[in-house]
Amino acid sequence: MLADALEHLVRGIVDNPDDVRVASRSMRRGTVLEVRVHPDDLGRVIGRAGRTATSLRTVLSALSRGEGPVRVDVVDVDRAR
């Protein structure tokens, strides 16, 4: 559910919504959601001084109440390969 919500939010921000991928991994300390975007959209998702990324993390934190801690990582598609 959280991965779907994050993907929906990020697709609304970027210019290349077809390149958005969200992977969810369960770790010992909680869930990690990894967002992969087109290199041209990386700045949009991070935002000026990281404000957009921080806002996305805040929204997901509010949605995840009761599911444990959630961490969101933003990854450039080119660097991930």
Side-chain angles (χ1 to χ4, degrees):
M1 176 195 134
L2 292 176
D4 294 335
L6 179 60
E7 186 172 347
H8 179 75
L9 290 170
V10 173
R11 282 180 185 262
I13 296 171
V14 299
D15 289 331
N16 301 299
D18 295 335
D19 291 340
V20 174
R21 301 287 179 261
V22 176
S24 177
R25 293 184 292 157
S26 295
M27 306 293 274
R28 231 180 304 146
R29 297 180 68 189
T31 303
V32 176
L33 296 174
E34 192 174 82
V35 180
R36 296 178 188 270
V37 296
H38 191 274
D40 295 339
D41 293 327
L42 190 60
R44 269 183 193 269
V45 175
I46 294 172
R48 200 172 279 190
R51 289 183 186 145
T52 305
T54 301
S55 298
L56 289 170
R57 289 181 179 111
T58 301
V59 169
L60 285 176
S61 176
L63 289 174
S64 72
R65 294 290 177 208
E67 293 186 31
V70 175
R71 191 176 96 202
V72 177
D73 293 335
V74 180
V75 180
D76 182 350
V77 170
D78 285 344
R79 283 190 283 150
R81 291 181 183 173

